[in-house]
Amino acid sequence: MKKAFALLVTVVLLISCSVIGFAEDIDFESMDFETLQAMKNALDYEYFSRPESKGISLSPGDYTVGTDIKPGRYFFKTVEPCTSNYTPQVYLYKDKEQCESWDNGNYGEYLFSEYCGLDYDQKSVSLELGNIIRVYSGSILFSKASINQEDYYVYQVPEGTYVPAGVYKVGEDIPVGKYRVYSGTILGGKIKIYFREETYNFDGSWHLGYDKLVEVDVKPTVVYETVNLEEGQVVLVELDVVMKKQAKLSFD
């Protein structure tokens, strides 16, 4: 107890000195790691509660309000693509007891849960002392200021043919062949491929039926999906994509 109290006093004194003279008056090099870590945690706790900090990124795990993040109202959002195939999600529990109750099978025991896909709008929440935040599947940014996604991640659209949202016939609008499909936007890209078009007899108009061949979601990264398009198929682009045709191998 005495050691913990002495450590807390040391941290407070160091922070006070930092306000007056910062690095010039503090010998960081002579500090033991425990003291340095305590000081960093205390500074981070306050720093990330300020709107100017642009917030704190919480990776998958549990976080206690009052220890890991300061109480208050925050905006939260996924701002960068994650490697998981699942949509990032956040749960908020009233306290540790409620969190443990959920873990024991009482799945209704939480204040709220939200999915936070890259293309989802930001949400806001008021965090109270003792609340537990649980993050699944990908990192989520909590910020005191409203979040502008492009401040955190800039997607470089790859080379290829930019295909905006719309409906395209293979063999007419898009040549037959094998393609690499990349995201065309920072929010990702999405296409659906149908075997054929369907025609209404009474007016000649057509619509996409239920004979969907495949649905492709691409993340705003260098990673791509591969599709093979055949004559007569229909491509529905729901979120803009970039398509790059793959040529056959040729040997001299």
Side-chain angles (χ1 to χ4, degrees):
M1 178 64 73
K2 289 183 179 179
K3 184 178 180 182
F5 179 75
L7 181 60
L8 179 60
V9 171
T10 301
V11 170
V12 171
L13 288 173
L14 287 171
I15 292 174
S16 299
C17 290
S18 70
V19 174
I20 300 171
F22 196 56
E24 295 179 2
D25 299 325
I26 303 176
D27 185 5
F28 292 104
E29 195 170 336
S30 65
M31 289 183 196
D32 63 83
F33 185 79
E34 186 178 14
T35 302
L36 195 63
Q37 183 67 60
M39 182 177 182
K40 180 182 182 302
N41 291 343
L43 286 172
D44 284 349
Y45 181 78
E46 181 61 32
Y47 177 83
F48 290 118
S49 73
R50 304 294 181 91
E52 298 85 354
S53 74
K54 292 190 176 180
I56 182 171
S57 181
L58 301 183
S59 56
D62 290 356
Y63 302 87
T64 302
V65 179
T67 301
D68 302 306
I69 185 171
K70 195 172 183 179
R73 178 159 290 279
Y74 290 81
F75 295 95
F76 65 97
K77 189 184 188 317
T78 296
V79 294
E80 294 188 20
C82 62
T83 56
S84 169
N85 290 324
Y86 300 97
T87 302
Q89 188 176 11
V90 59
Y91 279 85
L92 182 65
Y93 303 92
K94 180 181 178 182
D95 49 30
K96 183 178 179 181
E97 182 180 355
Q98 189 180 69
C99 184
E100 291 176 345
S101 177
W102 195 95
D103 288 337
N104 290 329
N106 298 317
Y107 298 126
E109 292 293 314
Y110 57 85
L111 297 180
F112 78 83
S113 71
E114 292 282 357
Y115 284 97
C116 300
L118 196 64
D119 56 338
Y120 288 38
D121 292 335
Q122 66 178 350
K123 308 285 196 316
S124 67
V125 62
S126 182
L127 302 180
E128 298 181 358
L129 191 65
N131 288 168
I132 305 291
I133 303 167
R134 176 168 292 177
V135 177
Y136 286 102
S137 302
S139 296
I140 296 174
L141 182 77
F142 280 76
S143 174
K144 295 290 287 186
S146 183
I147 298 169
N148 179 10
Q149 185 167 292
E150 293 185 355
D151 288 342
Y152 301 88
Y153 180 74
V154 178
Y155 174 56
Q156 298 294 332
V157 179
E159 294 182 356
T161 301
Y162 194 92
V163 186
V167 179
Y168 304 88
K169 294 182 184 179
V170 179
E172 295 183 19
D173 305 310
I174 301 176
V176 171
K178 190 175 184 179
Y179 291 84
R180 290 178 177 176
V181 182
Y182 300 86
S183 172
T185 75
I186 193 174
L187 301 179
K190 185 173 184 178
I191 67 173
K192 295 177 181 177
I193 302 172
Y194 294 80
F195 285 106
R196 60 187 179 276
E197 63 181 11
E198 294 185 359
T199 304
Y200 289 112
N201 293 326
F202 62 87
D203 63 0
S205 63
W206 61 278
H207 73 287
L208 300 177
Y210 296 101
D211 57 343
K212 183 171 63 178
L213 173 62
V214 69
E215 183 172 330
V216 179
D217 290 295
V218 282
K219 299 181 183 299
T221 65
V222 295
V223 178
Y224 60 84
E225 299 288 340
T226 302
V227 297
N228 193 27
L229 302 181
E230 299 180 359
E231 185 79 32
Q233 292 177 344
V234 176
V235 178
L236 169 64
V237 179
E238 294 186 330
L239 279 175
D240 301 5
V241 296
V242 170
M243 300 180 68
K244 192 169 185 177
K245 194 168 186 180
Q246 293 182 256
K248 294 182 179 179
L249 295 175
S250 59
F251 300 91
D252 295 332

